[in-house]
Amino acid sequence: MSATDRPVVFRNGLILTMDDAHTVLPGADVLVVGGRIAQVGVGLTAPDDALEIDATGGILMPGMVDTHRHLWQTAMRGYGADWTLTQYFVWYYLESGKLFRPEDVYAGNLLGAIEAIDAGVTTTVDWSHGLQTPEHADAAVDALEAVDGRFVLAYGNIQQGPWEWATSPEFRDFHRRRVDGGKLAGFQLAFDVTGDPAFPERAAFEVARELGAAVTTHAGVWGATNDDGIRLMHENGFMTPLTVYVHAATLTQDSYNRIAATGGSVSVSTESEQSAGQGYPPTWQLRHHDIPVSLSMDTSVWWSGDLFSAMRSTLGADRSREHLEAHAKQETITHCHLRAEQVVEWATRGGARALGMDATIGALTPGRQADVVLIKNDASPVMFPILNPHGHVVFQAQRADVHTVLVGGRVVKRDGRLVGVDLAAARASVAATIDHLRETMGEEAWQRGMNPDVPETAILENPYQYTEWDAGSAQWKH
């Protein structure tokens, strides 16, 4: 990521710094020089050649951080809207996911990376578990490097055990060629721990340790990964402060205690957990254990690709659980524990901390990389009045209100339009992928995959059911 040579100054915005004190500055400026935030304050003096952006009526905040997104699946946007997690596993892991060529991974990654920066997500973890060959991995990185965002590659391969692909010479060669000294913002190993007592994943953990790479793992997923996986990781010394546990929705107190004690964090994908069935979004548990949280959107094959939706659904799910737990005890919640301010923190600083980048991104403070998002839409009646700025970001704003985005000081979106992005080329790549899949699968299989069977619904007998309305007497007859 190279910064623009031209300074940038945002004028007269409402600034959510997301510093340690969560300072909010009304009518203030942000000055960017050399790709970094130089100053934040009122009435700043900017260099004569600075690009000046009017932030009046808008909210300035740090770029958001998504810690778990399967970018390669973006080419299938919306295809699995009615899937359960089981149907997702069958389609991608056992059947049609094997049909993805390197160029299909490229297409999904390219569109997903563009989508992220368009929505103000300046840093994204590409949880790339479709890397069946080194050619697939090269294609994934090629796409990420073609977009002016900040991307962490989480390398995975659902067609092999991690003890196979992580220890292969081809993986080591890829790491040497594309990660060491490359353009990626970071690198992780992405694999799950099944709980097999033999702990075959040990070999992959040892590779990660040797490479100095963090591990990101789907943990606490109903029917797939459970407490045994957490226990094995802990007993073998592979739980670290940079381990990211995705979902973590069906774990016991013992597992949460192990995560908390070793300093790891949880990436919560609320829309996914609510709909697919990994378990109830766990923030209500994570708060009790003081486990750090970041947010993610999982995959566009189902859900929206922006963190506004993630923030909104996360806050709603946490509050819903808090009310339900109280109602079960015949009590009433009079004050919500989780606030909008905290969810904005999770979407920005929380993600930076999870990735070990808290010193460089996640807040609008001098010295940090200038990943800046301006939320402003003068044509929208929803963008005024702004009374509670954190609440406005969570409950009122949406991706259409993302006016300007900077990544490392480079303007990647301005006045609501992407800068330097060839959307036509991205569309063409995705169209070729869809054509390939439909032709290879056959139209019947394609339609069947998108439209799973609807379970029968048993209608309960209603003792109050009337049989006929008598218009003359204006009464029901039994």
Side-chain angles (χ1 to χ4, degrees):
M1 172 64 61
S2 60
T4 180
D5 293 329
R6 188 179 181 187
V8 179
V9 61
F10 292 91
R11 294 290 191 192
N12 196 39
L14 177 58
I15 302 176
L16 307 185
T17 65
M18 302 315 298
D19 62 7
D20 292 342
H22 288 190
T23 305
V24 177
L25 300 173
D29 307 336
V30 175
L31 175 62
V32 174
V33 178
R36 295 183 179 273
I37 298 171
Q39 289 180 277
V40 178
V42 178
L44 298 181
T45 300
D48 293 338
D49 62 340
L51 170 64
E52 189 161 314
I53 298 174
D54 182 11
T56 304
I59 298 172
L60 283 160
M61 63 181 289
M64 289 174 274
V65 181
D66 186 327
T67 53
H68 157 242
R69 184 183 303 206
H70 305 300
L71 286 175
W72 66 288
Q73 297 174 355
T74 309
M76 301 292 295
R77 184 190 306 286
Y79 180 88
D82 295 317
W83 281 353
T84 61
L85 190 61
T86 298
Q87 288 153 346
Y88 170 86
F89 283 153
V90 169
W91 202 94
Y92 274 115
Y93 286 56
L94 302 178
E95 296 179 354
S96 303
K98 298 177 181 180
L99 302 177
F100 278 68
R101 306 162 299 177
E103 55 263 47
D104 304 320
V105 170
Y106 178 91
N109 267 31
L110 182 65
L111 185 62
I114 293 170
E115 176 184 18
I117 61 171
D118 182 62
V121 180
T122 53
T123 300
T124 302
V125 173
D126 176 23
W127 222 100
S128 200
H129 58 351
L131 306 183
Q132 303 175 55
T133 69
E135 290 75 27
H136 287 77
D138 279 321
V141 176
D142 287 344
L144 300 181
E145 291 182 347
V147 179
D148 277 328
R150 202 179 296 279
F151 299 103
V152 174
L153 179 70
Y155 192 111
N157 178 4
I158 55 178
Q159 303 304 331
Q160 285 186 344
W163 53 91
E164 297 174 291
W165 59 258
T167 58
S168 69
E170 294 80 8
F171 172 75
R172 291 303 188 103
D173 178 66
F174 167 82
H175 187 274
R176 177 187 58 78
R177 290 185 296 105
R178 304 306 300 266
V179 179
D180 288 343
K183 298 179 181 179
L184 292 169
F187 181 76
Q188 299 175 331
L189 267 66
F191 60 88
D192 298 342
V193 182
T194 62
D196 181 343
F199 193 45
E201 298 86 3
R202 172 190 292 277
F205 278 108
E206 289 174 343
V207 170
R209 178 175 289 172
E210 181 184 344
L211 296 177
V215 169
T216 177
T217 183
H218 293 118
V221 174
W222 180 263
T225 54
N226 56 35
D227 297 291
D228 287 334
I230 298 294
R231 177 182 55 79
L232 287 166
M233 290 175 62
H234 187 255
E235 290 177 352
N236 288 277
F238 291 116
M239 295 177 73
T240 78
L242 285 180
T243 305
V244 178
Y245 307 86
V246 178
H247 302 307
T250 56
L251 298 174
T252 63
Q253 300 297 310
D254 183 70
S255 289
Y256 289 127
N257 285 337
R258 292 178 194 260
I259 294 172
T262 54
S265 65
V266 171
S267 177
V268 175
S269 303
T270 302
E271 285 186 298
S272 179
E273 291 132 19
Q274 285 180 320
S275 181
Q278 290 93 337
Y280 198 92
T283 53
W284 64 290
Q285 288 274 37
L286 304 177
R287 288 191 289 102
H288 292 310
H289 290 83
D290 197 26
I291 294 173
V293 176
S294 63
L295 300 184
S296 58
M297 57 71 54
D298 204 342
T299 169
S300 288
V301 78
W302 262 299
W303 303 288
S304 56
D306 68 82
L307 291 192
F308 295 106
S309 293
M311 287 187 284
R312 190 171 300 142
S313 60
T314 298
L315 196 56
D318 190 285
R319 290 177 176 178
S320 177
R321 186 66 185 237
E322 189 169 26
H323 289 301
L324 287 171
E325 294 286 326
H327 295 173
K329 297 182 289 186
Q330 300 300 306
E331 297 174 355
T332 299
I333 295 295
T334 59
H335 293 75
C336 294
H337 279 86
L338 185 60
R339 303 302 176 96
E341 181 176 341
Q342 184 61 55
V343 177
V344 176
E345 158 91 10
W346 290 347
T348 53
R349 196 87 181 266
R353 291 192 183 104
L355 301 180
M357 298 181 181
D358 188 41
T360 56
I361 62 172
L364 299 184
T365 57
R368 275 185 164 83
Q369 291 285 332
D371 293 0
V372 185
V373 172
L374 171 60
I375 301 171
K376 175 179 175 177
N377 189 344
D378 293 338
S380 171
V382 179
M383 282 307 295
F384 62 88
I386 299 175
L387 307 177
N388 179 336
H390 295 101
H392 206 100
V393 168
V394 174
F395 283 126
Q396 308 299 323
Q398 52 189 309
R399 72 166 76 201
D401 301 319
V402 175
H403 179 282
T404 298
V405 179
L406 269 61
V407 181
R410 183 181 297 278
V411 178
V412 297
K413 187 175 184 180
R414 175 82 189 278
D415 295 328
R417 299 183 67 85
L418 291 163
V419 176
V421 169
D422 189 348
L423 271 180
R427 284 174 179 264
S429 295
V430 168
T433 289
I434 300 304
D435 288 344
H436 160 68
L437 292 172
R438 293 183 83 148
E439 291 171 6
T440 305
M441 293 172 61
E443 192 61 24
E444 181 180 352
W446 172 266
Q447 293 297 333
R448 185 172 62 250
M450 184 166 39
N451 297 286
D453 294 336
V454 178
E456 290 187 11
T457 300
I459 306 299
L460 297 175
E461 182 179 349
N462 186 345
Y464 304 103
Q465 183 68 47
Y466 295 101
T467 59
E468 184 180 352
W469 173 256
D470 187 338
S473 63
Q475 293 181 341
W476 289 99
K477 292 182 179 181
H478 292 278

